[in-house]
């Protein structure tokens, strides 16, 4: 089943539609890149450790010795590249609720079924398709376990 949404971006004097890129969920994964290309792992790491953008370290811990106060509510990111495929990681980032409806992990690339969204984040995904691919590319490099 392919999923696609249309967003309306409103800027004073301008209104335009921007479509979320369609994707297909196959089993427990989104096997195809949202952009048709592999992301950049360096940019992906920057998103993962950014406490304003990805907020990953709020819940996850991982091999980021320079980052203090990492979370412990979710699985350690160390070794995540050996535990899940890129397609499985992609679905977890796009919308982990598809795998676990009770998850506390936010959906990063969907607008479907969201409630109580702050004004600054309404009608737009947390991450762009390119940023999702960057995070997936980075996470697949994490192959060593603690």
């Amino acid at each position: 089943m392919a999923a696609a949404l249309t967003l309306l971006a409103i800027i004073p004097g301008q209104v335009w539609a921007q479509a979320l890129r369609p994707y297909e969920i196959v089993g427990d994964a989104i096997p195809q890149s949202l952009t048709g290309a592999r992301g950049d792992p360096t940019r992906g790491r920057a998103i993962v450790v950014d406490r304003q953008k990805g907020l990953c370290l709020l819940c996850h811990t991982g091999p980021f010795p320079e980052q203090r106060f990492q979370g412990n509510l979710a699985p350690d990111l160390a070794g995540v590249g050996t535990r899940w495929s890129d397609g499985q990681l992609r679905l977890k980032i796009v919308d982990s609720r598809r795998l676990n409806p009770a998850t506390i992990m936010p959906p990063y690339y969907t607008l479907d079924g969201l409630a109580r969204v702050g004004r600054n984040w309404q009608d737009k995904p947390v991450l762009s398709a390119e940023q999702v691919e960057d995070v997936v590319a980075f996470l697949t490099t994490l192959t060593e376990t603690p």
Side-chain angles (χ1 to χ4, degrees), residues 41-52:
T42 302
R43 289 192 310 256
R45 184 184 196 285
I47 293 166
V48 168
V49 300
D50 186 326
R51 294 184 188 268
Q52 300 297 313

Side-chain angles (χ1 to χ4, degrees), residues 3-139:
L5 297 171
T6 299
L7 303 177
L8 290 179
I10 302 172
I11 293 182
Q14 294 183 325
V15 177
W16 72 90
Q18 176 187 3
L20 288 179
R21 296 183 186 187
Y23 55 86
E24 182 177 5
I25 298 172
V26 178
D28 65 349
I30 299 173
Q32 299 300 315
S33 165
L34 299 177
T35 64
R38 182 160 173 78
D40 179 273
T42 302
R43 289 192 310 256
R45 184 184 196 285
I47 293 166
V48 168
V49 300
D50 186 326
R51 294 184 188 268
Q52 300 297 313
K53 190 66 173 171
L55 295 171
C56 302
L57 299 184
L58 182 66
C59 296
H60 296 276
T61 190
F64 313 104
E66 77 284 4
Q67 296 293 321
R68 297 179 53 193
F69 308 114
Q70 296 181 30
N72 62 4
L73 297 173
D76 190 330
L77 295 179
V80 74
T82 58
R83 292 194 303 267
W84 293 295
S85 71
D86 59 344
Q88 290 170 316
L89 290 167
R90 187 174 294 110
L91 179 55
K92 287 176 180 295
I93 295 164
V94 166
D95 190 354
S96 194
R97 298 172 302 172
R98 298 290 194 125
L99 301 168
N100 176 6
T103 187
I104 62 170
M105 183 167 169
Y108 284 89
Y109 192 72
T110 188
L111 301 175
D112 186 37
L114 302 180
R116 299 186 343 211
V117 177
R119 185 180 322 154
N120 291 339
W121 297 278
Q122 288 179 354
D123 300 324
K124 58 186 170 184
V126 175
L127 298 177
S128 69
E130 291 78 10
Q131 290 170 320
V132 168
E133 293 306 322
D134 291 343
V135 171
V136 169
F138 170 65
L139 293 176

